[in-house]
């Protein structure tokens, strides 16, 4: 579990940003040069392991295609904590042996888990949890109509005005690195 | 000929995503369907062919989901071959 302290939150950081329409606040989560320097200092190696995702999103924003930083599908969510399954992040960053999520089949239904603790919690009292359906289960079973991102957002009670948007209107993607000595000249940060 | 939901993982991506494939499509098309949600959005594209891996085995480009015995919501990985 200590292993997860090294990478899970960086994955959730990406997930909250990319799936920002599903949250009810405007994430100020974009990683510009200053944030990148801070993250690299606090988490050595962050640029190599997690900076690359922000590189790709920043590139798309600067190319005038911010829609490529918005979801067209849902993440698989954990049948225990209901959060997106980010095991591929742990694998890509070198902390897990496999990107695959944990899965468990009970009474013909397969459950997916983000982590060993989440599976452990579920297995302690499966009768408490096994009847619950996740947002993804509800998309697939037809409970959510239409089974699309807009349909799911409406199901979640989020009107278009309430859906989260980039909290800085993409300033982070256009920010330039601060000069090391002297005041920051650019007003775009 | 039928829509078929899978859990998709793009090599290098940070998250598992829901992907709707067609069970009659060849793996080249299934790979594209999964890659659509990760490559060029969060993962940089590479000029190499994409392959699909299922339960540790790389599938033939011409195989279909129906051929593989894959169940709905099984995990398919897209990797660069
Ligand atoms: Zn979980």
């Amino acid at each position: 579990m200590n292993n997860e302290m090294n990478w899970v939150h960086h994955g959730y950081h990406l997930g909250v940003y990319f799936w920002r329409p599903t949250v009810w606040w405007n994430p100020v989560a974009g990683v510009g040069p200053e944030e990148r320097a801070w993250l690299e200092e606090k988490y050595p190696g962050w640029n190599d392991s997690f900076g690359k995702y922000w590189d790709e999103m920043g590139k798309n924003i600067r190319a005038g295609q911010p829609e490529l930083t918005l979801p067209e599908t849902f993440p698989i969510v954990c049948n225990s904590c209901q959060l997106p399954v980010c095991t591929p992040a742990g694998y890509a960053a070198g902390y897990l042996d496999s990107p695959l999520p944990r899965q468990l089949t009970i009474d013909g239904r397969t459950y997916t888990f983000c982590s060993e603790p989440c599976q452990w919690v579920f297995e302690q009292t499966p009768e408490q949890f096994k009847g619950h359906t996740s947002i993804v289960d509800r998309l697939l079973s037809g409970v959510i109509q239409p089974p699309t991102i807009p349909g799911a957002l409406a199901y979640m009670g989020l009107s278009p005005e309430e859906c989260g948007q980039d909290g800085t209107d993409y300033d982070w993607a256009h920010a330039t690195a601060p000069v090391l000595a002297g005041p920051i000249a650019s007003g775009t940060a | 000929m039928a829509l078929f939901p899978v859990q998709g993982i793009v090599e290098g991506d940070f998250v598992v995503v829901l992907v709707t494939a067609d069970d009659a499509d060849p793996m080249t098309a299934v790979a594209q369907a999964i890659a659509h949600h990760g490559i060029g959005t969060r993962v940089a594209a590479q000029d190499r062919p994409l392959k699909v891996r299922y339960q540790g085995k790389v599938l033939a480009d011409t195989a279909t989901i129906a051929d593989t015995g894959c169940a709905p919501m099984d995990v398919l990985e897209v990797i660069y071959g």
Side-chain angles (χ1 to χ4, degrees), chain A residues 78 80-83 113-115 118:
Chain A
C78 173
S80 188
C81 69
Q82 311 300 318
L83 291 171
F113 302 101
C114 71
S115 61
C118 268

Side-chain angles (χ1 to χ4, degrees), chain A residues 14 17-18 53-61 69 172, chain B residues 41:
Chain A
L14 282 156
Y17 183 76
F18 198 86
Y53 304 110
W54 296 98
D55 287 342
E56 197 68 9
M57 291 194 287
K59 191 177 76 180
N60 285 330
I61 291 164
T69 70
W172 64 272
Chain B
T41 58

